[in-house]
């Protein structure tokens, strides 16, 4: 069995603190262990970075993409457009 390391402070022996722990002495020579929290998230400086060149609206496309649309619908739409153009041409004459 291995002996754990100990720290001697003002005549008192304390076992070494676990990883992520820091110690400080109180007025009575006692040690208080406070665990350091790992930082999970911060939004620091993100707004400044976003506003450096100004915030812009996303560009709106004139016609939304038809990628991924049902092929049967697209085929019917193509014929419908062709038919409506033919009717417009005849009405102009």
């Amino acid at each position: 069995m291995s002996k754990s390391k100990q720290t001697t402070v003002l005549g008192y022996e304390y076992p070494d603190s676990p990883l992520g722990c820091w110690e400080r002495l109180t007025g009575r020579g006692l040690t208080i262990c406070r665990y350091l929290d790992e930082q999970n998230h911060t939004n620091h400086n993100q707004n400044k970075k976003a506003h450096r060149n100004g915030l812009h609206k996303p560009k709106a496309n004139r016609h939304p993409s038809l990628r991924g649309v049902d092929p049967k619908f697209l085929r019917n739409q193509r014929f419908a457009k062709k038919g409506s153009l033919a009717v417009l041409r005849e009405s102009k004459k």
Side-chain angles (χ1 to χ4, degrees), residues 33-72:
C33 183
R34 296 193 179 181
Y35 288 91
L36 302 175
D37 291 332
E38 290 183 14
Q39 187 169 355
N40 290 326
H41 174 71
T42 179
N43 202 34
H44 178 70
N45 203 38
Q46 299 309 307
N47 276 327
K48 183 176 179 182
K49 284 165 53 177
H51 285 82
R52 278 184 71 132
N53 297 319
L55 291 178
H56 301 288
K57 283 185 178 180
K59 292 190 176 181
N61 295 329
R62 186 169 183 180
H63 302 290
S65 171
L66 295 175
R67 184 178 178 188
V69 179
D70 184 29
K72 187 175 178 183

Side-chain angles (χ1 to χ4, degrees), residues 10-25:
L10 298 175
Y12 296 101
E13 289 188 359
Y14 299 101
D16 278 347
S17 49
L19 190 65
C21 179
W22 62 277
E23 297 177 345
R24 71 179 179 87
L25 296 174

